[in-house]
Every structure is written in structure tokens, then in C-alpha cells.
Amino acid sequence: MSSIEGKFLQIFGAEPDLVAAAPGRVNLIGEHIDYSEGFVLPFAIKDRTLVAARKRDDSTVRIASVQRRNKIITVDIADVKPGLKGEWERYALGVLWSMDVKGGVDLLIDGHVPLGAGLSSSAALECSVATAMNHLFDMGFNLEELARLTQKAENQYVGVPCGIMDQSVSLMATTGSALLLDCRDLSTRNIPFDVASHGLELLIIDTQAHHALTDGGYAERRASCESVASKLSVKSMRELTMTKLDSSRGLITETEYIRARHAVTEMKRVLDCVEALSSGDFATVGQLINASHISLRDDYTVSCPELDTAVEASLLAGALGSRMVGGGFGGSAIALIQASKTTETIHAVEKAFAEKKFKAPRFFTSLPSQGAELLSRR
Ligand code: ADP
Ligand code: MG
């Protein structure tokens, strides 16, 4: 009996019918272009969230999380609608609502994705619950439908206006691959990203910094891209090229120009990265990751001293490439490193942070891992 089944038995007094899991994610490249109809190239990390579930023959939903002291929250399925007050359990209840689950269920969550570190523990939670419900109630949703339903749960039930990247990769990723997601039509393609057999590894550096700019800063970047699109009569940055942007430079402000330049060049970097991965050219992948960081730092101006320090220190320690990931102004960076240099790189980044008197960072390593799956069923 795996430990989550044992805990479930202790908490709910019966064995679960099944156990499902879904991972967190990191975006390798393609930052701040999801809302510009660009491409993103995330991969699933090894850390994942487990959920044990048991069908009930009434309409009661009971839910507990190991990360929330196993406290049982009880609600009737008929009351599970947006607007129902709650805390962390809304991420799970939102999925029951968006999937239109009708019957009662007992759920135990055990999450191994660090919460709030930019690794998408929220999508891991939603997608593990969705996978469990899909099997438990034989709902027959495919992965694309589950991605839309879990995104709907986070958007409309929890109230977080996230895109569809996190849920897509948590559901669709496969071991040793990254997931190319076209944000224009939501089509996906698995791209071999076999770092392990090249002796490489991904080091995730959580700077633990959170600068206040996050909300307004994000809206301002997005508005710049929309303004450029409107002034240049295109639907999104996806329709621009550097030639077209340069020839229209006089029609937009200098700030709009550099924001658009990030979007246009970043979209190309994602496709170049896919190309480099197809030939196992990790040196080029590293250079593209570096170029992404420089563009985010200088053109999009969403980096911060902690992120720049993490990137510079890991590169000095020999990383092939390093960049900030996520919205910016704090959060995490990733570095593509030789697996044999992990400890050395961690020490170099720790030292650089200490010298600048920054809060100590947290480190996670990962290989591109498997997406959501059913682990066991009685
Ligand atoms: P991220 O997705 O980057 O980790 P979010 O703020 O989007 O950060 O999501 C984190 C939230 O998701 C937590 O504050 C909590 O409400 C919920 N959550 C995720 N995993 C768990 C878990 N294992 N147990 C309880 N709540 C969880
Ligand atoms: Mg999240």
C-alpha cells in the first residue's frame, strides 16, 4: 500500500478507489508571448501532486490536503459553484464544478510541487483532480478538453486569469520531451528534450524575491503589445516580423518598439530552439535561453537584480544557458547545466546571493518528466 493510500484510509476510514498524479512545470523558452499568440515550450518537472479518490453514494464531497494538516473540508456537490467561499480547496472544487461532477467523493491531496515557487502547484493540483475524476466517473474527456476544463476552473472558480499553458503541459507532457504549444490555436507537439542522455540537467533557482511591480508591470507590457498591434493593423505580435516592425518604427513609441521586439524575437527563438533540439544541439539551446533572458531584461524590462544575479552566477559556473522564467520581477530562473556540476553551480549562486545580501535562494533540479497519469486503481 503506497503512503497516500494509507493516509487516505486513516483520514476517511476506507481505501481509495484510485490514485492519480499530475506534475508542475517550467517553461524552457517562450516568455511573455502567450498573450501575443506566440509559442511556448514548457516541460513537466519530476515533482507532482498525488490525489487519492473514492466515490461516495451520497452527494457529499470531503477533501483534505497533507499540506494543509489533513483538515477535512465538507461540502455538498450541489453547492459547489463559483462564489462559494473557501481557501486552497477551491482549486480542486473548481475542477469538480467545471467537469460537472454530479456525485459525492472523498479526496486526499498530497502535493510535492513546491507551492508558490512559480512551478505551478496550482495546475498540478487541478490536473491531478481532473485525471482522477475522469477515471472515477468514466467521463471520457480527452487531454485537450481536460486542459480547457482545468483552466476554466482556475479562471472562473478560483478567479485567477491564467493562460492554458500550465494545465496543458501538466496533462500532456511525456518523459524526455518538452511540449510546444501554439497559443494561437492551442495545438501541441511533443519535442524530444532528452537532457539526461546528454549528461545535462535543469537547475531551477527560486530567488524568493517578489517585487511589487508584478501586477501593473504585467498589464503595462500586455497593453504595449496590444497598442502596437492596433497601430500596425495586425491581430497580434504573431503577425509581425523584425523587418515589418523596423519599417514601422516611426508609427509607435520607443517603448512600444522594444516591447514588440521582445515578442517578435522570442517567438523566433522558440522555433529556433525546437530546431536545435531536433538535432540535439544543446549549445545552441543554451545560447537561445541566454538571448531570451537578455531580451526579457533589456527590451521587456521584467527582470530584477536577484534574477540577473542567478543567471550571471550560473553562467559563470559553466551553465550552457540561463534565464528568468515566468512573469518576472522575482520568482525563478532556470539554468541548463552539466549534471556533474550541479553542486558547484548551486554553491556559486548561493555565494553571489550572499555577497549581494539577497535572501537565500531555493534550488530544485529536474529532468523533463511525465504528465498526468492514473497510478493505481482498485
Ligand atoms: P504556483 O502555481 O506557482 O505554485 P499559485 O499561487 O498559482 O502558485 O498556486 C498555489 C496555491 O495552490 C496554494 O496557495 C494553494 O492554495 C494551492 N495548492 C497547490 N498545491 C496544494 C496542495 N498540495 N495542498 C493544498 N493547496 C495547494
Ligand atoms: Mg499557479
Side-chain angles (χ1 to χ4, degrees):
M1 195 182 283
S2 85
S3 72
I4 190 166
E5 287 161 322
K7 285 177 198 159
F8 188 99
L9 178 60
Q10 262 182 5
I11 294 169
F12 293 121
E15 281 180 31
D17 293 328
L18 56 79
V19 178
R25 62 91 189 98
V26 171
N27 189 17
L28 179 64
I29 195 161
E31 210 63 78
H32 271 288
I33 50 169
D34 53 343
Y35 51 80
S36 291
E37 300 197 317
F39 301 95
V40 293
L41 191 60
F43 62 92
I45 58 173
K46 68 176 185 311
D47 304 294
R48 54 194 190 170
T49 296
L50 304 186
V51 56
R54 179 185 173 86
K55 224 191 245 186
R56 298 173 54 95
D57 37 22
D58 59 13
S59 60
T60 303
V61 175
R62 294 191 298 172
I63 173 166
S65 164
V66 175
Q67 285 67 46
R68 292 290 181 269
R69 297 164 175 265
N70 301 330
K71 186 176 156 250
I72 299 177
I73 292 148
T74 305
V75 45
D76 193 279
I77 190 73
D79 297 327
V80 176
K81 296 190 188 81
L84 181 68
K85 291 218 170 356
E87 295 174 12
W88 70 270
E89 74 280 4
R90 289 175 308 139
Y91 290 90
L93 295 180
V95 173
L96 301 191
W97 166 75
S98 69
M99 290 177 80
D100 200 20
V101 168
K102 299 275 190 226
V105 62
D106 288 337
L107 293 173
L108 175 64
I109 313 296
D110 191 3
H112 299 274
V113 180
L115 271 59
L119 301 176
S120 210
S121 69
S122 57
L125 173 50
E126 291 149 6
C127 295
S128 63
V129 170
T131 304
M133 294 305 101
N134 206 27
H135 286 283
L136 195 63
F137 292 99
D138 294 317
M139 299 178 104
F141 289 116
N142 65 32
L143 297 180
E144 213 178 299
E145 289 165 332
L146 289 180
R148 286 177 199 279
L149 290 167
T150 46
Q151 181 200 19
K152 182 177 169 190
E154 186 152 346
N155 290 168
Q156 296 181 29
Y157 196 101
V158 186
V160 176
C162 60
I164 202 166
M165 173 174 89
D166 299 353
Q167 291 83 3
S168 298
V169 63
S170 181
L171 288 160
M172 299 174 193
T174 56
T175 306
S177 296
L179 188 76
L180 178 66
L181 171 66
D182 182 340
C183 298
R184 182 154 69 181
D185 61 11
L186 302 184
S187 60
T188 56
R189 185 149 63 94
N190 273 306
I191 306 295
F193 181 38
D194 187 8
V195 291
S197 69
H198 288 78
L200 302 174
E201 186 164 59
L202 288 135
L203 178 67
I204 299 152
I205 306 160
D206 176 8
T207 65
Q208 306 240 54
H210 303 279
H211 295 291
L213 252 166
T214 312
D215 298 336
Y218 178 85
E220 189 263 326
R221 304 309 183 278
R222 217 176 151 144
S224 284
C225 291
E226 279 158 16
S227 172
V228 172
S230 137
K231 287 178 181 172
L232 303 190
S233 305
V234 290
K235 189 158 171 281
S236 70
M237 299 297 92
R238 176 76 169 266
E239 290 172 20
L240 283 182
T241 57
M242 274 316 294
T243 314
K244 187 162 176 188
L245 182 62
D246 282 334
S247 64
S248 318
R249 195 165 180 166
L251 302 174
I252 55 179
T253 67
E254 192 51 26
T255 301
E256 286 171 342
Y257 174 77
I258 57 174
R259 302 293 189 247
R261 181 165 66 186
H262 166 73
V264 173
T265 58
E266 184 76 355
M267 287 186 207
K268 180 161 188 312
R269 279 187 289 274
V270 177
L271 298 180
D272 289 349
C273 190
V274 169
E275 179 88 28
L277 285 174
S278 74
S279 52
D281 179 0
F282 284 95
T284 299
V285 172
Q287 284 162 13
L288 291 164
I289 292 174
N290 291 337
S292 173
H293 183 74
I294 291 166
S295 179
L296 287 159
R297 184 190 69 193
D298 298 345
D299 277 359
Y300 231 58
T301 60
V302 289
S303 191
C304 65
E306 292 87 349
L307 286 167
D308 291 340
T309 300
V311 166
E312 282 155 26
S314 53
L315 287 175
L316 277 175
L320 283 77
S322 184
R323 72 173 194 91
M324 57 156 280
V325 292
F329 312 113
S332 296
I334 51 162
L336 179 63
I337 61 171
Q338 306 284 350
S340 58
K341 285 196 170 178
T342 307
T343 315
E344 202 178 318
T345 313
I346 289 176
H347 286 158
V349 175
E350 277 174 340
K351 187 159 171 274
F353 269 58
E355 275 166 9
K356 294 194 175 167
K357 304 210 167 15
F358 295 152
K359 190 172 173 188
R362 288 192 295 174
F363 299 89
F364 312 96
T365 55
S366 195
L367 295 172
S369 303
Q370 179 61 38
E373 57 187 336
L374 184 66
L375 293 183
S376 65
R377 180 166 205 167
R378 265 207 303 164

